[in-house]
Amino acid sequence: MAGNVYRAQPIGSLLRPAWLRDAKRAERKGEMSAAAFKRIEDRAVDEALALQERTGLDVVNDGEQRRLSFLGSLIETTEGLSRTSGLTKPWRDDGQHVEQLTLGLAVTGKLRRRRSMVGEEFTYARAKARKPLKVTLPSPLMLLMFWSPEESRAAYRDPFELFADGADVIREEVRELARLGCEYVQIDAPELAIMVDPTAQRAVFEANGISPERVLGEGVEILNGLADAPGMRFGLHMCRGNNDGRWLSQGGYEAISKEVFKRAQRYDTFLLEYDDQRSGSFEPLADIPRDKFVVLGLVSTKKSGLEPAVELLSRIDEASRYFPREQLGLSTQCGFASGIKGNPIDVTAQEKKLRLVAEVAARAWR
């Protein structure tokens, strides 16, 4: 582990203001010019940076305010996906209620990169941020959420050919970020943590003819190949799904830890969801090589209730039994708005959660 230590980190998305969402709709309908919309979008990024800075985080990002979802830099900047409501996944809430929800898209053609989103995100935020800046990018394996055996096979006989094309898109984004001077990239890979839950595996992977074993082998190798830019820090974030407060899977990391941590060797940092009982124990941290940094996602973005600081400190103590304390940090378990709507939490609670991350980190590693 090299470079500065960022103990208190955000994961990615922040709640998008209603006025930003309204402006996006107006711009799409032709009721607002692109120039006027960009001024509103810039304001949202300014406020996202200011929020993170005043709460005391060690590193910040643009809150993904220019995206409709955390996948924006992949699906909003490529061609090859079409609108559909027929492709659904089983999302669950804390009451274990299962709801089949569609993400609204399916792969129907060859994936092609039309433009970059992160270039605009990074260069604007770089000029505004007063703290170190990281950029989030989605795992190309997340395209499995849009893979349909019925609709996608005309373009891709094998879903791993699709993932390889997605990796080319993300790899080009990484190259652009490197040229622009970015020093920290986080790859968001919730598909890996889906593998901890046999029920979710069957529903998301096996139902669509995707081999979980190939995802843990060939898939993680694809992810490892993305972390290839000299002088840049790479983080790999794993959660169990985050969609308007709902989730996809439950279970401990021990089901995947040996494969993932061994194969994803180019990553400096692992950012892991650990906010509730669904995440299992800290024991799999023992499988992480000792030259890495681990960020514990102990603070929930799915619930507005504030975790007691003493409880978080106790959990950090517990985690340090399995991984060196000086190589640990703290974060929320995921973003606050992985989708356009956002989690069931308000802006006041969001700020309190981020401030809690910074304050507990300062106490835990003072």
Side-chain angles (χ1 to χ4, degrees):
M1 183 184 67
N4 296 327
V5 175
Y6 303 136
R7 299 286 186 198
Q9 298 199 25
I11 289 299
S13 59
L14 297 175
L15 296 171
R16 296 172 187 87
W19 44 262
L20 174 62
R21 300 197 304 271
D22 291 343
K24 184 64 176 176
R25 282 190 288 269
E27 190 255 351
R28 281 186 161 183
K29 293 177 181 178
E31 299 169 355
M32 177 180 290
S33 70
F37 173 68
K38 283 299 174 183
R39 286 192 289 271
I40 292 173
E41 202 175 55
D42 290 348
R43 174 189 162 198
V45 174
D46 292 346
E47 293 190 5
L49 291 169
L51 168 63
Q52 294 168 87
E53 288 170 353
R54 71 172 175 264
T55 55
L57 298 177
D58 295 325
V59 63
V60 300
N61 74 352
D62 80 337
E64 299 177 5
Q65 298 296 292
R66 300 190 192 277
R67 309 182 194 181
L68 294 177
S69 76
F70 85 99
L71 287 165
S73 51
L74 183 58
I75 64 174
E76 293 172 40
T77 60
T78 56
E79 59 185 43
L81 292 98
S82 302
R83 289 282 168 192
T84 181
S85 58
L87 196 59
T88 64
K89 297 291 182 291
W91 291 88
R92 290 181 272 182
D93 59 26
D94 281 345
Q96 295 290 332
H97 173 70
V98 178
E99 187 172 357
Q100 293 287 338
L101 298 176
T102 179
L103 296 181
L105 294 169
V107 173
T108 56
K110 288 290 187 181
L111 204 70
R112 297 279 189 272
R113 183 177 185 261
R114 297 195 312 262
R115 63 179 177 86
S116 169
M117 177 176 284
V118 294
E120 178 184 13
E121 288 182 351
F122 177 73
T123 52
Y124 183 87
R126 182 188 63 191
K128 297 284 186 170
R130 297 179 296 173
K131 289 195 172 184
L133 185 66
K134 77 172 171 180
V135 175
T136 60
L137 288 169
S139 159
L141 272 65
M142 276 303 294
L143 288 165
L144 65 86
M145 300 294 283
F146 307 101
W147 167 261
S148 164
E150 295 77 29
E151 298 181 70
S152 305
R153 287 197 188 278
Y156 294 99
R157 297 293 301 169
D158 182 344
F160 281 80
E161 296 173 2
L162 166 64
F163 302 156
D165 280 357
D168 287 342
V169 172
I170 297 299
R171 196 175 293 111
E172 185 55 40
E173 297 285 4
V174 169
R175 292 191 189 110
E176 181 162 353
L177 287 167
R179 289 192 296 269
L180 293 170
C182 179
E183 296 178 300
Y184 187 3
V185 166
Q186 174 184 302
I187 302 294
D188 295 319
E191 75 280 358
L192 295 180
I194 291 173
M195 234 91 65
V196 306
D197 185 335
T199 301
Q201 262 192 52
R202 288 191 294 270
V204 178
F205 292 94
E206 296 168 15
N208 290 324
I210 299 171
S211 163
E213 291 76 20
R214 281 187 76 187
V215 174
L216 282 179
E218 187 178 338
V220 178
E221 295 290 352
I222 289 173
L223 292 181
N224 194 50
L226 301 177
D228 186 20
M232 188 180 287
R233 181 189 312 236
F234 285 91
L236 186 64
H237 170 237
M238 288 181 274
C239 78
R240 293 159 182 77
N242 189 51
N243 183 359
D244 299 345
R246 302 180 185 91
W247 46 273
L248 278 168
S249 64
Q250 57 187 340
Y253 290 105
E254 62 273 6
I256 63 171
S257 60
K258 288 182 169 57
E259 287 295 320
V260 172
F261 299 138
K262 175 182 70 176
R263 294 180 186 274
Q265 57 188 293
R266 290 182 177 176
Y267 289 85
D268 311 280
T269 302
F270 293 106
L271 304 100
L272 305 177
E273 179 181 62
Y274 265 119
D275 63 320
D276 60 23
Q277 294 299 317
R278 288 188 300 106
S279 303
S281 76
F282 292 121
E283 291 183 24
L285 298 180
D287 293 329
I288 300 176
R290 291 313 192 248
D291 62 340
K292 307 302 182 184
F293 191 75
V294 175
V295 181
L296 303 171
L298 302 180
V299 176
S300 176
T301 63
K302 289 184 167 72
K303 309 170 189 173
S304 58
L306 205 61
E307 293 82 353
V310 65
E311 179 181 302
L312 297 178
L313 290 165
S314 175
R315 297 199 70 200
I316 292 168
D317 288 341
E318 183 184 355
S320 68
R321 294 169 51 199
Y322 303 99
F323 195 79
R325 186 186 187 91
E326 287 309 303
Q327 289 162 237
L328 292 173
L330 180 63
S331 71
T332 56
Q333 117 280 347
C334 198
F336 290 89
S338 297
I340 183 64
K341 182 180 177 182
N343 288 351
I345 190 170
D346 62 27
V347 292
T348 300
Q350 175 179 253
E351 180 161 354
K352 288 180 179 178
K353 295 269 186 174
L354 294 175
R355 196 176 300 279
L356 178 66
V357 168
E359 291 175 351
V360 170
R363 289 174 61 182
W365 290 282
R366 59 189 171 193

